[in-house]
Amino acid sequence: MIVWLNGTHGVGKTTTSALVQQRIPDSRIFDAEKVGEVLMDVRPGLPATDDFQHWPLWRPLVVETARRLIDYVGGTLIVPMTVLVEDYWREIEAGLAGYGIPVQHVVLHADEEVLVSRIDNDEDLGPSTFRHAYVEPYAAAARSWLHDAGTVVDTGGLTPGQVADRVVRSLPGAGAS
């Protein structure tokens, strides 16, 4: 199974993924962003883009890498990765389904005010123009399709441990959330 933690940059996907991994036996974290980083290192470079997710190869490579990881080690993969373009999400979801891999799509949410405060007060990264740039695209995706495409876990007012607990409780066989 794959637990895909979606949501905008700065909502807590990386922190939550580490805590969810501790709560699910035989699970591993797969950072699909690393696939994008590999593609960014191709020389000479691939066609210019402002987001590696726009490269048509990124999505099937993520699917194939996830499939091969599961084939190799089994268990559950936890994928903390923002995907805000509906067509891209549908392509990834369909690719994994084509291999018979169930995906639990969990959207970590924070209201804009909470999110902006977290970004501005991040002690590790400091305020981030990059993260701020995704606040509105996330809100647009949430309104139009994203919140209907997964289980939404509102992270506002919760500790990271509480968010991880809610994610785990939302998974099949885990009981009520």
Side-chain angles (χ1 to χ4, degrees):
M1 169 174 70
I2 290 178
V3 177
W4 194 290
L5 297 178
N6 204 344
T8 194
H9 303 278
V11 77
K13 294 180 306 298
T14 300
T15 299
T16 301
S17 66
L19 295 170
V20 168
Q21 192 272 328
Q22 294 171 7
R23 289 160 169 77
I24 299 177
D26 195 26
S27 64
R28 289 176 169 72
I29 297 170
F30 164 48
D31 186 350
E33 188 165 328
K34 301 298 183 193
V35 174
E37 290 174 7
V38 167
L39 294 175
M40 289 189 304
D41 285 342
V42 170
R43 298 290 176 249
L46 299 175
T49 181
D50 63 343
D51 186 339
F52 57 73
Q53 291 187 17
H54 297 320
W55 286 322
L57 350 130
W58 178 77
R59 299 174 301 277
L61 285 174
V62 166
V63 168
E64 189 63 24
T65 304
R67 177 190 72 90
R68 290 192 176 258
L69 279 167
I70 289 172
D71 284 351
Y72 185 60
V73 296
T76 298
L77 284 185
I78 301 159
V79 183
M81 186 71 212
T82 300
V83 179
L84 300 180
V85 177
E86 183 176 10
D87 288 345
Y88 296 175
W89 171 250
R90 298 295 176 210
E91 183 179 341
I92 291 166
E93 185 179 47
L96 294 167
Y99 287 122
I101 301 170
V103 177
Q104 300 305 313
H105 184 206
V106 179
V107 179
L108 300 184
H109 173 78
D111 290 335
E112 185 173 345
E113 182 179 309
V114 171
L115 184 59
V116 169
S117 176
R118 286 181 187 169
I119 293 169
D120 288 344
N121 296 300
D122 188 309
E123 292 181 11
D124 295 324
L125 298 176
S128 167
T129 304
F130 174 82
R131 287 177 167 187
H132 277 293
Y134 282 88
V135 171
E136 179 48 39
Y138 165 76
R143 285 188 304 270
S144 64
W145 72 273
L146 186 58
H147 283 192
D148 293 331
T151 300
V152 177
V153 174
D154 191 331
T155 66
L158 300 178
T159 67
Q162 290 170 323
V163 173
D165 288 341
R166 288 198 182 177
V167 168
V168 171
R169 284 196 313 264
S170 77
L171 302 177
S177 19

